[in-house]
Amino acid sequence: MSDLPARRLLLVHAHPDDESINNGATMARYAAEGAQVTLVTCTLGEEGEVVPPHLAHLAPDRDNALGPYREGELAEAMKQLGVGDHRFLGGPGRFRDSGMMGVEQNDREDAFWAADVDEAAALLAEVIREVRPQVLVTYDPNGGYGHPDHIQAHRVAMRAADLAADPGFRTDPGEPWEITKVYWNRVPRSVVIEGFARLRETLAEPGRLPFTKVASVIDVPGVVDDWIVTTEIDGTAFAAAKTAAMRAHATQIAVAEPFFALSNELAQPLFTTEYYELVRGRREGGGRETDLFDGLDGLDGLEGVEGNVSAEQQNGAAL
Ligand SMILES: [Zn+2]
């Protein structure tokens, strides 16, 4: 496909809503800059809990209609982010949401958690060879917070990156393609702590927020010591797009920016600067990158993009 944009970013997520929470600002920014942004979601999120009471009937133990409904929510979120290329791994409904660790839904034959990693990865490798992304974003090996589908999404994404580059893997989905840079979603601990401090202050003002309970640092996926974070994408200019995308996932998320809550009703900060750990590929210089395409020949620092690490940031990241 020679008509693809020069810069191509692939994100692999477990459920509809994960992309907007983790990477909404990043996706909106790169889409606005003309990069190809491809999202692959592994399940429809059929096992999710439903936040708004008037939609509670969609739940798996009632109408079991959450999957198709969330497809619609995701489509709306993509519209808000300006992302045109969205796919479900193997097609919608191929893999079912597994639910939290230890629940019996994980044993279903079609559960994503029960899927053969190589088989699922082969489906993703086909997408990689078609889209030829230079950059892949997914979760860390613990899926950020231990959810089975997130762990599986990590395994499938990492395996697919290898398969796509392997000349011994099938030839029908196109030429082998090696992804140059692989990132895991992260949040620096200091940023989370500061976010919760702001949240507690705001909550103390009567009537300011629709939330009463506060999550804790361990509820936030991917939190690590600051030095582990290699890359930060300033998506402040795309805050409105990110919050709109999160709002589109109304069955899952209640938003009162700059905060939100999931079905557990525990409020947490909403970040519009998004953070990453580069785990495959080279980092230029010693500071935090500010562009996922940094160091890729001819692709970083494109016109109008503040992609280069400034001296100030390089010094700052030595902390
Ligand atoms: Zn998820």
Side-chain angles (χ1 to χ4, degrees), residues 14-15 18 145 150:
H15 312 111
D18 292 318
Y145 71 113
H150 288 234

Side-chain angles (χ1 to χ4, degrees), residues 97-116:
D97 183 5
S98 310
M100 297 308 246
M101 198 61 93
V103 301
E104 64 184 22
Q105 290 90 317
N106 294 347
D107 302 328
R108 284 177 59 122
E109 221 172 74
D110 56 350
F112 186 47
W113 182 238
D116 180 82

Side-chain angles (χ1 to χ4, degrees), residues 249-269:
H249 293 288
T251 60
Q252 305 300 306
I253 312 175
V255 181
E257 62 262 61
F259 309 105
F260 72 100
L262 301 172
S263 62
N264 58 16
E265 297 177 14
L266 301 174
Q268 53 179 296

Side-chain angles (χ1 to χ4, degrees), residues 27-319:
M27 292 171 75
R29 180 180 140 175
Y30 283 108
E33 288 174 3
Q36 167 84 13
V37 178
T38 300
L39 170 68
V40 174
T41 309
C42 298
T43 78
L44 295 174
E46 296 93 334
E47 295 292 331
E49 284 172 39
V50 179
V51 173
H54 72 279
L55 294 172
H57 64 92
L58 297 168
D61 56 350
R62 292 177 62 186
D63 297 353
N64 192 22
L66 194 50
Y69 193 88
R70 290 184 73 177
E71 265 189 272
E73 291 184 333
L74 184 51
E76 176 59 26
M78 291 304 96
K79 215 193 279 174
Q80 297 297 337
L81 298 178
V83 171
D85 187 12
H86 170 257
R87 303 132 188 252
F88 285 99
L89 185 63
R94 171 76 160 77
F95 299 105
R96 187 175 166 104
D97 183 5
S98 310
M100 297 308 246
M101 198 61 93
V103 301
E104 64 184 22
Q105 290 90 317
N106 294 347
D107 302 328
R108 284 177 59 122
E109 221 172 74
D110 56 350
F112 186 47
W113 182 238
D116 180 82
V117 170
D118 276 356
E119 249 172 61
L123 297 167
L124 184 58
E126 290 175 16
V127 178
I128 294 172
R129 285 197 177 177
E130 177 198 329
V131 177
R132 305 200 306 271
Q134 294 95 354
V135 177
L136 166 68
V137 169
T138 189
Y139 314 107
D140 66 62
N142 189 39
Y145 71 113
H147 189 297
D149 289 323
H150 288 234
I151 295 171
Q152 188 79 325
H154 160 86
R155 292 175 181 166
V156 167
M158 299 303 284
R159 180 75 184 123
D162 289 339
L163 279 182
D166 181 358
F169 176 64
R170 295 156 31 197
T171 50
D172 53 299
E175 295 295 307
W177 179 259
E178 181 153 7
I179 296 172
T180 316
K181 300 178 88 179
V182 177
Y183 291 94
W184 295 341
N185 286 307
R186 294 300 195 189
V187 197
R189 195 177 316 278
S190 69
V191 169
V192 181
I193 289 171
E194 195 200 326
F196 276 111
R198 250 185 301 123
L199 170 57
R200 284 176 196 286
E201 267 171 42
T202 313
L203 260 184
E205 299 168 31
R208 266 280 278 119
L209 292 176
F211 312 120
T212 52
K213 295 177 286 181
V214 178
S216 57
V217 172
I218 56 161
D219 294 316
V220 178
V223 177
V224 286
D225 291 345
D226 291 25
W227 64 268
I228 291 173
V229 173
T230 58
T231 309
E232 64 178 79
I233 301 302
D234 182 356
T236 315
F238 299 93
K242 175 168 181 166
T243 33
M246 287 175 66
R247 271 207 176 90
H249 293 288
T251 60
Q252 305 300 306
I253 312 175
V255 181
E257 62 262 61
F259 309 105
F260 72 100
L262 301 172
S263 62
N264 58 16
E265 297 177 14
L266 301 174
Q268 53 179 296
L270 189 164
F271 301 114
T272 52
T273 294
E274 293 165 342
Y275 302 86
Y276 302 90
E277 177 185 359
L278 178 68
V279 294
R280 219 179 259 186
R282 266 196 36 225
R283 175 156 52 132
E284 307 279 306
R288 272 190 196 161
E289 300 173 317
T290 54
D291 179 0
L292 298 174
F293 293 87
D294 246 10
L296 290 167
D297 285 343
L299 295 176
D300 58 343
L302 289 183
E303 220 176 305
V305 181
E306 291 173 39
N308 295 322
V309 179
S310 70
E312 194 186 330
Q313 283 160 329
Q314 287 187 3
N315 293 337
L319 289 172

